[in-house]
Amino acid sequence: MAAITLCMDHVLSELFTITHPSWFGALCTWKLLSWYFCLLVGVFTSGTWEEKSDEISFADFKFSVTHHYLVQESTDKEGKDEVPEDVIPQSMQDLLCMNNDFPPRAHCLVRWYGLREFVVIAPAANSDAVLSESKCNLLLSSVSIALGNTGCQVPLFVQIHHKWRRMYVGECQGPGVRTDFEMVHLRKVPNQYTHLSGLLDIFKSKIGCPLTPLPPVNIAIRFTYVLQDWQQYFWPQQPPDIDALVGGEVGGLEFGKLPFGACEDPISELHLATTWPHLTEGIIVDNDVYSDLDPMQAPHWSVRVRKADNPQCLLGDFVTEFFKICRRKESTDEILGRSTFEEEGREIADITHALSKLTEPAPVPIHKLSVSNMVHTAKKKIRKHRGVEESPLNNDVLNTILLFLFPDAASEKPLDGTSSTDNSNPPLESEEYNLYNQFKSAPSDSLTYKLALCLCMINFYHGGLKGVAHLWQEFVLEMRFRWENNFLIPGLASGPPDLRCCLLHQKLQMLNCCIERKKARDEGRKTSPSDNVTNTYSGDAGKSGDQLGPDNLRETDKDKGEVGKSWDSWSDSEEEFFECLSDTEELKGNGQESGKKGGPKEMASLKPEGRLHQHGKLTLLHNGEPLYIPVTQEPAPMTEDLLEEQSEVLAKLGTSAEGAHLRARMQSACLLSDMESFKAANPGCFLEDFVRWYSPRDYIEEEVVDEKGNMILKGELSARMKIPSNMWVEAWETAKPIPARRQRRLFDDTREAEKVLHYLAVQKPADLARHLLPCVIHAAVLKVKEEESLENISSVKKIIKQIISHSSKVLHFPNPEDKKLEEIIHQITNVEAIIARARSLKAKFGTEKCEQEEEKEDLERFVSCLLEQPEVLVVGAGRGHAGRIIHKLFVNAQRAATMTPAEEELKRMGPPEEKRQNLAADFPPPAGRELILRTAVPRPAPYSRALPQRMYSVLTKEDFRLAGAFSSDTSFF
């Protein structure tokens, strides 16, 4: 056996010195410098624990070696005072320290032995285990020899048996002393070990002290009581009233709110630990017949709460269910059945009415919106195809949602569009502005934001995916209805699309821009019938709002990719329509058909058109006429996908000279339009006149002396304007004097609107959910912030900041990963659960019922600590305000369990003995009994040094454990 042990020690030392020299150095230097330093109270929980791990192979068996230690603050005395030679190791002194008994959160060995530093050797794989006794003895022998050779004073443990049993044996060595760590783990506890007297007997027999009488044994006891029956009235969360969501008393505004709270009590158990920290043998009785351990008389009470595992939370479920739509692949038509547009096409498919369609007058636009107008085509077709009772959304729900999304539909006055758009964004400094800007969602008062909330609620409460598809189809039809009848879309800021928002919001803003342009053009045609010469695309030829004819159709080359195309063909590359011949002759009379042949002198005789106002004191350089600012076309608004598409096209042109020239032409359409407007407003002007207005920095003026000796200002174009084949010069030579109202539109609202409507129509529910998910997350964060402000939980505020930071990084990507989105939703759900726990605890402890302000503040502070700390000390134990509430909770639970009527409470006023028994019955049997026995006795001989002895015992319903640390003198034995 000795030979085997030496061989194993040789193998272990070889592994430490050759394979892992750092571990060998650690074993040689693991000596506590602050040997005299006693740990402060609670440091095991509040302090920082660190660990270092590595793997070694021992007899073809892999072990993980982990060094656990408490990070301690350095002191000035370290390294200055020499450690006495006869001092026992710090780990042995920790066995007798009573400042950190029963830590609420620590390694099991820390709780059992009170150690601040130790090393654990365990099988590397979870499935591996050291089961045989011979292997255990072999490992312990090697550990003992390794500790002796290295002089390491840190306890070293070996994990044996299966890992779930948490069985450890170990050893600690010092100068002439040794401590053996032993353990017993049983499923069924012997009766004599269920109380203090039996445990004292086994402790005394184990240490085998030869002295008479024995030194006193210090005792620490903790009983833990579990409260599970909270009584239903202690849970404040009310279930959502689904019927009231569309009821008359609540109205459609309820669709703009997200639910919040847990559907079940997020606090499942309350654990009350009653502790007697300093007892001595002989002053207390605890045996199988009688016990002095009354929980109401315990000097220390501490409480911890056990949280429900993954409680069902309304807000988290809402967002999670909406996120699931992102993984669906069905289209809207596949979900709802046959397309409504196919059904409508069948009704008008009769070819005999084709000619009558051309001769019939155009329908009069509807100037008044109503719910019945909005719930039109799709609803009728769905009824025909599936029947009324099978529609995903009933009329009440659909009408309520549409009125919430389009409040202008309830107006009795004709809509002029001025009140339907929201022209105000949140202030730049506001938190709301920063949120939608960071999340790339939409403002909280916008139509897109409201649509996201409605779809989220429809998906959860009214029809699921079919309800979402139905509402989206109605929404798309409403968008087309508003486009065709010149009704602006409410809830959208005026102006070009906001690129800081989600793409769907940009598309709706683009459609609103189209409606504004179309409406302004139609109203201008009605008020000025003589000026209705308008250029438009052939796609407008059949629209009710544009009654145009192909009398004067002029086609040009449509090949836009031709590099050598002239500016003239470039600007007129689309088909143009003129409404009457007289206007065409007027154009010819004005010289606009002369092209490049008409010079400035010929242009000077033209009639000025399209003037906005005079430009200050500026005059034309050659004829001295006042310079007028022309009416110009607004630049075409663009969404981010159009900008990306345009950038790709320009990038594909390459870096050659021809590609650069073509790229310049494509980008100068707006410049050419402004030049034509300027020429029409200022007949006889030159390029210098245009530059003075359009780009003043490119016209350089300086004082010179003329022939008569007078100082005059003389100007000329800048150097970049004089470059040969300059884009500005070529464009000026090509530009004709055409006012903005007669130019080809830079922004074709008809084509762009049809593109937007087509984009909306082909969106699948999954695509729609992807577009609106940032808005839903935005709304969820706002809801969490609103609810947190009512509770004022510091830890929640930090988590919300982390959610905002994480979301702003993830949601700015075009296609964020599902895993990252799930992390954000999980964080939001966790915050919701924390707030629900806070409200649950406040309701259970009755913080709102406190009449005294001081008691209310103490209870709120106590509840806040329960949420953030693993265990909270109850001030005053059972006699304090919080202690009385906890006692009452247990009494109510016991009364409900035993069906004891309230009248039985009068019996508590009896004799002291009877009263004490009644108080003991207020609590259930302890769910856990923990005892720590300590003493210092000489072992193994009477003349040996007195060394620390410790035994920890825990008894629960499931198992019984004894963990002993027994020290002996190896010098005098």
Side-chain angles (χ1 to χ4, degrees):
M1 183 64 185
I4 297 177
T5 302
L6 290 175
C7 179
M8 293 301 298
D9 175 64
H10 175 72
V11 172
L12 184 60
S13 62
E14 287 293 324
L15 287 170
F16 274 127
T17 55
I18 300 174
T19 310
H20 299 278
S22 61
W23 276 103
F24 177 74
L27 284 173
C28 292
T29 58
W30 278 347
K31 297 173 182 174
L32 295 175
L33 298 176
S34 54
W35 55 270
Y36 55 89
F37 179 68
C38 185
L39 295 175
L40 299 177
V41 177
V43 71
F44 282 169
T45 302
S46 60
T48 303
W49 286 88
E50 292 185 0
E51 60 182 51
K52 298 177 181 178
S53 299
D54 206 345
E55 286 191 0
I56 61 173
S57 295
F58 182 46
D60 297 332
F61 198 87
K62 288 188 177 181
F63 289 91
S64 64
V65 183
T66 307
H67 177 205
H68 302 265
Y69 58 96
L70 177 67
V71 179
Q72 303 176 37
E73 296 182 0
S74 59
T75 60
D76 296 336
K77 296 182 179 181
E78 286 185 2
K80 296 181 181 179
D81 297 341
E82 295 183 0
V83 180
E85 294 181 358
D86 59 343
V87 70
I88 62 175
Q90 178 65 71
S91 57
M92 293 186 184
Q93 298 184 37
D94 287 341
L95 297 177
L96 297 180
C97 181
M98 294 183 288
N99 289 344
N100 291 281
D101 292 342
F102 314 113
R105 183 173 54 196
H107 193 280
C108 59
L109 292 175
V110 177
R111 187 177 186 87
W112 298 338
Y113 298 113
L115 301 174
R116 69 180 75 178
E117 186 177 17
F118 54 93
V119 178
V120 176
I121 300 178
N126 291 328
S127 58
D128 294 339
V130 181
L131 300 177
S132 65
E133 185 177 356
S134 60
K135 290 183 178 179
C136 295
N137 294 332
L138 189 63
L139 278 174
L140 286 175
S141 300
S142 301
V143 165
S144 179
I145 297 175
L147 291 175
N149 291 342
T150 58
C152 175
Q153 297 185 10
V154 176
L156 199 152
F157 292 87
V158 176
Q159 186 170 12
I160 59 176
H161 295 286
H162 297 287
K163 288 193 173 184
W164 64 267
R165 297 190 64 181
R166 297 190 299 174
M167 289 283 291
Y168 297 89
V169 292
E171 186 175 320
C172 176
Q173 293 186 12
V177 293
R178 184 183 75 229
T179 300
D180 296 315
F181 298 94
E182 304 173 3
M183 195 167 295
V184 175
H185 183 219
L186 303 175
R187 284 284 190 177
K188 186 177 181 181
V189 57
N191 293 330
Q192 63 269 27
Y193 300 147
T194 58
H195 42 76
L196 174 62
S197 59
L199 293 173
L200 280 172
D201 292 339
I202 191 175
F203 180 64
K204 293 177 180 179
S205 64
K206 183 64 179 177
I207 60 178
C209 180
L211 298 180
T212 303
L214 289 175
V217 178
N218 294 322
I219 305 170
I221 303 175
R222 166 174 285 203
F223 287 177
T224 302
Y225 301 90
V226 177
L227 176 64
Q228 295 177 325
D229 187 7
W230 291 105
Q231 304 298 314
Q232 290 301 317
Y233 62 86
F234 284 122
W235 174 229
Q237 179 70 28
Q238 296 295 328
D241 188 358
I242 301 176
D243 296 332
L245 293 177
V246 294
E249 58 183 24
V250 178
L253 291 179
E254 195 67 21
F255 279 96
K257 301 177 182 178
L258 288 176
F260 190 88
C263 296
E264 56 183 317
D265 196 338
I267 303 296
S268 60
E269 295 177 353
L270 182 141
H271 293 192
L272 170 64
T274 59
T275 307
W276 294 263
H278 306 292
L279 297 176
T280 56
E281 183 184 5
I283 68 171
I284 194 170
V285 177
D286 180 46
N287 52 40
D288 55 352
V289 178
Y290 177 82
S291 177
D292 288 331
L293 300 175
D294 180 7
M296 290 299 297
Q297 303 301 322
H300 290 174
W301 275 22
S302 56
V303 177
R304 68 167 64 191
V305 292
R306 183 176 180 182
K307 306 165 186 175
D309 296 333
N310 301 321
Q312 183 181 3
C313 297
L314 293 175
L315 180 61
D317 288 351
F318 260 57
V319 182
T320 301
E321 290 300 320
F322 188 78
F323 174 68
K324 291 180 180 178
I325 302 179
C326 299
R327 297 191 174 100
R328 303 298 293 265
K329 298 182 179 180
E330 303 92 336
S331 65
T332 303
D333 293 342
E334 292 173 349
I335 295 172
L336 296 179
R338 183 172 296 173
S339 172
T340 58
F341 300 102
E342 293 180 14
E343 295 283 349
E344 186 176 344
R346 289 189 175 186
E347 292 183 359
I348 60 175
D350 191 355
I351 196 172
T352 59
H353 299 286
L355 296 179
S356 63
K357 293 291 182 181
L358 297 177
T359 58
E360 289 177 358
V364 179
I366 301 174
H367 296 291
K368 176 182 174 183
L369 287 178
S370 64
V371 174
S372 59
N373 290 331
M374 291 187 292
V375 188
H376 47 80
T377 310
K379 193 68 179 178
K380 295 176 182 177
K381 308 316 172 192
I382 291 175
R383 287 177 180 175
K384 287 183 179 181
H385 189 62
R386 292 190 300 269
V388 179
E389 66 280 356
E390 298 180 8
S391 298
L393 296 178
N394 58 57
N395 280 331
D396 292 337
V397 175
L398 184 59
N399 292 345
T400 305
I401 296 174
L402 292 178
L403 280 176
F404 171 68
L405 295 177
F406 306 103
D408 55 355
S411 174
E412 295 297 331
K413 299 179 181 180
L415 293 178
D416 56 1
T418 56
S419 61
S420 63
T421 48
D422 179 16
N423 297 329
S424 61
N425 277 330
L428 296 181
E429 299 83 6
S430 68
E431 193 171 6
E432 153 64 13
Y433 174 85
N434 293 330
L435 270 185
Y436 95 80
N437 188 17
Q438 292 175 20
F439 288 1
K440 200 172 178 61
S441 59
S444 57
D445 57 350
S446 65
L447 174 65
T448 312
Y449 186 93
K450 295 177 181 178
L451 176 64
L453 298 186
C454 290
L455 289 173
C456 196
M457 184 165 290
I458 289 298
N459 176 60
F460 199 82
Y461 282 136
H462 306 282
L465 186 62
K466 286 188 177 182
V468 170
H470 185 187
L471 178 58
W472 176 244
Q473 196 171 60
E474 285 290 339
F475 185 86
V476 174
L477 290 173
E478 174 64 21
M479 293 299 100
R480 178 166 290 280
F481 174 82
R482 288 178 175 268
W483 157 248
E484 293 178 351
N485 294 276
N486 290 355
F487 291 126
L488 292 175
I489 305 172
L492 297 176
S494 60
D498 190 351
L499 302 182
R500 297 166 300 182
C501 299
C502 63
L503 182 58
L504 183 62
H505 187 79
Q506 297 178 37
K507 292 292 183 181
L508 296 180
Q509 285 185 305
M510 174 67 83
L511 183 59
N512 228 17
C513 292
C514 297
I515 296 174
E516 287 180 356
R517 301 287 181 92
K518 180 172 176 284
K519 183 177 181 179
R521 189 173 68 255
D522 292 349
E523 291 178 352
R525 184 182 298 116
K526 293 176 183 178
T527 56
S528 303
S530 60
D531 291 336
N532 56 357
V533 179
T534 307
N535 299 342
T536 183
Y537 288 102
S538 59
D540 291 345
K543 300 296 178 185
S544 59
D546 296 319
Q547 301 174 5
L548 306 176
D551 295 338
N552 293 285
L553 176 63
R554 180 163 56 87
E555 297 183 357
T556 58
D557 187 6
K558 296 184 179 181
D559 187 6
K560 297 184 180 181
E562 186 178 353
V563 178
K565 183 185 292 186
S566 66
W567 281 102
D568 187 39
S569 62
W570 185 268
S571 62
D572 296 331
S573 60
E574 300 291 343
E575 298 174 349
E576 297 182 5
F577 293 86
F578 301 96
E579 193 157 336
C580 58
L581 183 61
S582 60
D583 288 333
T584 306
E585 293 175 350
E586 180 184 357
L587 292 175
K588 293 181 179 179
N590 282 345
Q592 294 178 12
E593 294 293 331
S594 58
K596 300 179 183 179
K597 298 179 181 179
K601 296 182 179 180
E602 292 79 1
M603 294 295 181
S605 61
L606 297 179
K607 179 181 177 181
E609 296 180 279
R611 287 179 172 179
L612 184 61
H613 58 79
Q614 186 175 340
H615 188 291
K617 297 181 180 180
L618 285 183
T619 59
L620 301 180
L621 295 176
H622 293 276
N623 57 17
E625 294 290 331
L627 189 149
Y628 286 89
I629 296 177
V631 177
T632 59
Q633 297 191 58
E634 295 182 10
M638 302 188 76
T639 57
E640 63 181 22
D641 60 333
L642 295 179
L643 287 173
E644 184 178 355
E645 181 181 347
Q646 185 185 62
S647 300
E648 292 178 357
V649 172
L650 295 177
K652 290 180 181 179
L653 295 177
T655 57
S656 62
E658 293 182 353
H661 190 67
L662 184 58
R663 188 184 301 107
R665 288 184 175 180
M666 292 177 63
Q667 293 176 319
S668 60
C670 185
L671 174 65
L672 180 61
S673 171
D674 293 342
M675 286 182 173
E676 291 182 341
S677 300
F678 188 83
K679 281 189 175 182
N682 299 278
C685 61
F686 284 81
L687 176 61
E688 288 82 355
D689 299 314
F690 177 78
V691 171
R692 291 166 65 204
W693 164 64
Y694 204 84
S695 180
R697 293 184 179 180
D698 284 310
Y699 188 77
I700 304 173
E701 291 182 335
E702 59 181 357
E703 293 183 351
V704 296
V705 180
D706 62 359
E707 298 176 354
K708 298 181 181 181
N710 298 325
M711 297 293 294
I712 60 172
L713 286 176
K714 184 178 181 181
E716 61 179 355
L717 295 176
S718 62
R720 77 184 186 102
M721 291 293 180
K722 297 179 181 180
I723 298 176
S725 301
N726 182 15
M727 178 185 68
W728 286 60
V729 176
E730 292 186 6
W732 181 258
E733 293 176 354
T734 306
K736 303 173 185 178
I738 305 175
R741 60 188 176 87
R742 289 176 178 162
Q743 295 176 9
R744 180 177 63 87
R745 283 179 285 170
L746 293 177
F747 175 62
D748 193 312
D749 50 70
T750 304
R751 184 179 67 172
E752 295 300 327
E754 290 297 334
K755 288 171 62 177
V756 172
L757 291 172
H758 175 72
Y759 179 86
L760 299 179
V762 299
Q763 292 297 301
K764 297 180 180 179
D767 302 328
L768 179 63
R770 290 279 182 184
H771 284 306
L772 295 179
L773 189 60
C775 295
V776 174
I777 294 177
H778 179 191
V781 171
L782 289 181
K783 184 66 176 178
V784 167
K785 288 174 66 67
E786 175 188 350
E787 299 293 335
E788 185 277 331
S789 63
L790 302 176
E791 307 299 333
N792 194 20
I793 308 173
S794 58
S795 61
V796 172
K797 292 180 180 179
K798 297 179 181 179
I799 300 176
I800 291 177
K801 290 182 180 179
Q802 295 175 359
I803 294 175
I804 294 175
S805 176
H806 188 199
S807 301
S808 61
K809 296 177 182 178
V810 173
L811 297 178
H812 262 280
F813 287 95
N815 296 308
E817 299 178 7
D818 288 356
K819 185 178 180 180
K820 294 182 178 179
L821 293 174
E822 289 175 348
E823 291 176 358
I824 296 175
I825 297 173
H826 182 66
Q827 288 177 325
I828 294 174
T829 306
N830 286 342
V831 172
E832 183 183 14
I834 294 174
I835 297 176
R837 294 186 190 110
R839 292 179 176 173
S840 174
L841 289 174
K842 287 183 177 181
K844 292 174 174 58
F845 284 92
T847 57
E848 300 299 330
K849 299 178 181 179
C850 292
E851 297 179 357
Q852 298 182 8
E853 190 66 25
E854 184 178 355
E855 289 185 351
K856 182 178 180 180
E857 292 179 358
D858 292 340
L859 276 181
E860 289 180 349
R861 193 179 304 110
F862 178 74
V863 169
S864 178
C865 293
L866 279 177
L867 292 172
E868 300 176 1
Q869 300 178 12
E871 190 171 280
V872 181
L873 185 67
V874 180
V875 179
R879 295 168 295 279
H881 183 59
R884 292 194 299 269
I885 295 177
I886 295 171
H887 179 212
K888 185 178 179 180
L889 291 174
F890 275 97
V891 169
N892 293 337
Q894 285 296 99
R895 186 189 303 163
T898 59
M899 303 299 292
T900 303
E903 290 77 8
E904 293 294 328
E905 295 295 322
L906 298 176
K907 296 183 179 180
R908 299 178 182 274
M909 305 304 296
E913 181 65 22
E914 183 179 354
K915 185 177 179 180
R916 192 193 65 79
Q917 294 178 359
N918 289 332
L919 285 174
D922 291 347
F923 293 88
R929 295 170 177 259
E930 295 177 273
L931 290 91
I932 299 178
L933 307 178
R934 302 183 186 88
T935 188
V937 297
R939 288 183 74 224
Y943 49 82
S944 301
R945 277 195 292 175
L947 297 174
Q949 317 293 329
R950 173 184 173 124
M951 188 178 75
Y952 171 88
S953 168
V954 57
L955 171 63
T956 64
K957 293 181 180 180
E958 299 176 353
D959 59 4
F960 170 73
R961 185 185 302 271
L962 288 177
F966 305 104
S967 305
S968 57
D969 191 340
T970 58
S971 298
F972 302 96
F973 58 91

